[in-house]
Amino acid sequence: MAAPRIDYRALFAATPSPYLVLDRDLVMVEANEAYLRATGRTRDELLGRYLFDVHPDNPADQDADGVRNLKASLQRVMRSKEPDTMAVQKYDLPVSGRPGVFQEKWWSPVNTPVIGDDGEVRWIIHRVEDMTEFVLARPLRLTPGDPGGEHRAVEAELFTRAQELQLLNEELREAHDWERRIALTLQKAMLHSPDLPGHREIAVRYLPATRSLNVCGDWYDVVDLSDDRFTVAVGDVVGHGLEAAAVMGMLRSTLSAAVRATDEPGKAMDVLSQYARTFEGALATTAVKAVVDTRHQLITHTSAGHLPPLLARPDGTVILLDQATDPPLGVLPDLRPRPQATAPYSSGDTLVLYTDGLVERRGEDIDAGLHRLADALTLHTSLSPDQLADTLLSRLGVADGGQDDIALIIVRL
């Protein structure tokens, strides 16, 4: 039996709770009948207008903070792409047809994002419940001899605690934002590559794991060795957050200095491995480094337990550079030099270095992710490095970040 067709517009209009739909500019684009009744407004008075032009703060109330609180909640929804539940708010409404006259109102709001096909917030659903009668009918103090006084006192106490909880949440959000700004500044400083701006043929991307502080233990680096030789590298420290980022900064700097001194990726990785064994947080770090010789069109590469770089030809052929892979840093005693291998390339080839967050998926063999990456390269290798970097992230489903950190380098040779 065929499923019945549902008139969603009629369902929205009949929903008993008040609902208002806002676009990204906080312009009201739809409202149901319950919202019109709760606010005493008509559709013509609301739709197409900026929310806070229609619902300003009551100028007679010096403590009015409804606009500030609601605007902050809506901005959080657009940033986080997650619903935001607010504590009960005092937000007086202008009386229609009586300029300057406001009616005392208390609301319980919830703001919910509607995500578009591009992964961005397209609309926000603003749902409110009118709490005015409840709040005004319950005194905040006990009345002697009132048989229901104790129950109402508990309700009032819950309401007061909800208001206090909102203030505490706002303080926590401000503290989190402050910590995040510090973390981003630290991460930017540690990932600084002075030689990168001189390489228009190189694109880099860095995406921390979702729901993190936007800092991670993955890294990328670009270092010029001479006029015709440069090196690129990516690495992955175990863990997330500031501690992993601090370890990342030390290892990245060490490898960058080592390759300048030794001029060979295998020897540079030996130095890094010895250094990694001196502190616990660096153990089991993986890294891959490649030296590109533009005069002889050769790539010399080495890997410490890392996923292999990929070399894509203009005809769509993709080659895994996996001939020089050893265990991760600090895992084994350094009894022998780490291997390195050399691969020729032609003009127009594309070299791709990445960390496992790009291809690894929970419950899936890593080879499946490598095949997805190779297939995407085959289809899109003709794109510019910047376009290709964004396309790979999108095709592999991590354009907005994934469950693990991601570092990516695209080099057009």
Side-chain angles (χ1 to χ4, degrees), residues 388-401:
L388 181 56
D390 292 335
T391 299
L392 292 181
L393 293 173
S394 178
R395 288 293 300 266
L396 273 71
V398 290
D400 294 318

Side-chain angles (χ1 to χ4, degrees), residues 120 339 353 393 412:
E120 299 299 322
L353 280 68
L393 293 173
R412 182 59 43 78

Side-chain angles (χ1 to χ4, degrees), residues 10-215:
L11 286 178
F12 176 79
T15 302
S17 293
Y19 282 89
L20 177 69
V21 181
L22 306 165
D23 67 12
R24 287 187 54 84
D25 296 320
L26 305 186
V27 171
M28 296 176 282
V29 296
E30 190 55 272
N32 68 351
E33 294 299 323
Y35 186 87
L36 300 179
R37 289 194 299 270
T39 59
R41 297 283 181 165
T42 65
R43 291 172 59 83
D44 290 340
E45 290 177 306
L46 298 179
L47 303 193
R49 300 187 62 189
Y50 180 58
L51 173 64
F52 299 113
D53 286 344
V54 178
H55 296 312
D57 275 331
N58 183 354
D61 183 356
Q62 296 182 351
D63 297 324
D65 57 2
V67 169
R68 178 178 65 85
N69 292 338
L70 179 54
K71 186 178 294 186
S73 173
L74 296 171
Q75 290 171 345
R76 284 195 296 271
V77 169
M78 285 192 281
R79 287 196 306 268
S80 69
K81 303 177 185 178
E82 297 287 341
D84 190 80
T85 301
M86 303 175 65
V88 175
Q89 303 287 313
K90 183 179 185 296
Y91 198 145
D92 299 344
L93 288 186
V95 177
S96 183
R98 300 177 63 187
V101 178
F102 282 72
Q103 179 184 12
E104 183 175 353
K105 283 287 186 177
W106 295 78
W107 308 94
S108 176
V110 178
N111 300 306
T112 304
V114 178
I115 308 299
D117 294 337
D118 59 357
E120 299 299 322
V121 176
R122 190 170 182 185
W123 298 292
I124 298 177
I125 300 174
H126 174 59
R127 190 198 79 190
V128 291
E129 296 294 341
D130 189 346
M131 305 290 291
T132 307
E133 183 178 350
F134 169 81
V135 173
L136 297 183
R138 283 157 174 79
L140 298 181
R141 297 177 181 273
L142 277 172
T143 302
D146 181 359
E150 183 176 351
H151 178 67
R152 282 193 289 272
V154 171
E155 292 175 335
E157 178 71 11
L158 289 174
F159 169 72
T160 302
R161 292 292 174 262
Q163 296 284 51
E164 292 174 350
L165 182 60
Q166 174 170 310
L167 293 175
L168 179 59
N169 283 337
E170 291 178 357
E171 292 176 358
L172 288 173
R173 289 188 187 101
E174 291 176 0
H176 179 79
D177 288 343
W178 177 78
E179 184 178 4
R180 180 176 175 272
R181 286 194 296 272
I182 291 177
L184 287 174
T185 302
L186 174 65
Q187 188 81 57
K188 184 177 180 181
M190 289 191 296
L191 286 176
H192 179 57
S193 292
D195 297 333
L196 179 59
H199 291 272
R200 287 185 293 178
E201 75 281 10
I202 298 178
V204 298
R205 294 293 185 271
Y206 160 78
L207 285 81
T210 55
R211 302 183 183 276
S212 72
L213 274 177
N214 274 14
V215 294

Side-chain angles (χ1 to χ4, degrees), residues 225-281:
L225 301 178
S226 63
D227 290 342
D228 51 17
R229 297 176 77 238
F230 66 91
T231 177
V232 291
V234 296
D236 184 356
V237 174
V238 176
H240 306 282
L242 290 175
E243 183 177 352
V247 174
M248 173 275 290
M250 291 185 287
L251 295 179
R252 179 179 181 270
S253 298
T254 301
L255 184 58
S256 180
V259 77
R260 285 180 169 93
T262 65
D263 212 28
E264 293 185 23
K267 291 181 179 179
M269 201 69 78
D270 281 335
V271 172
L272 185 64
S273 186
Q274 292 171 12
Y275 179 61
R277 291 171 61 191
T278 63
F279 54 102
E280 185 177 351

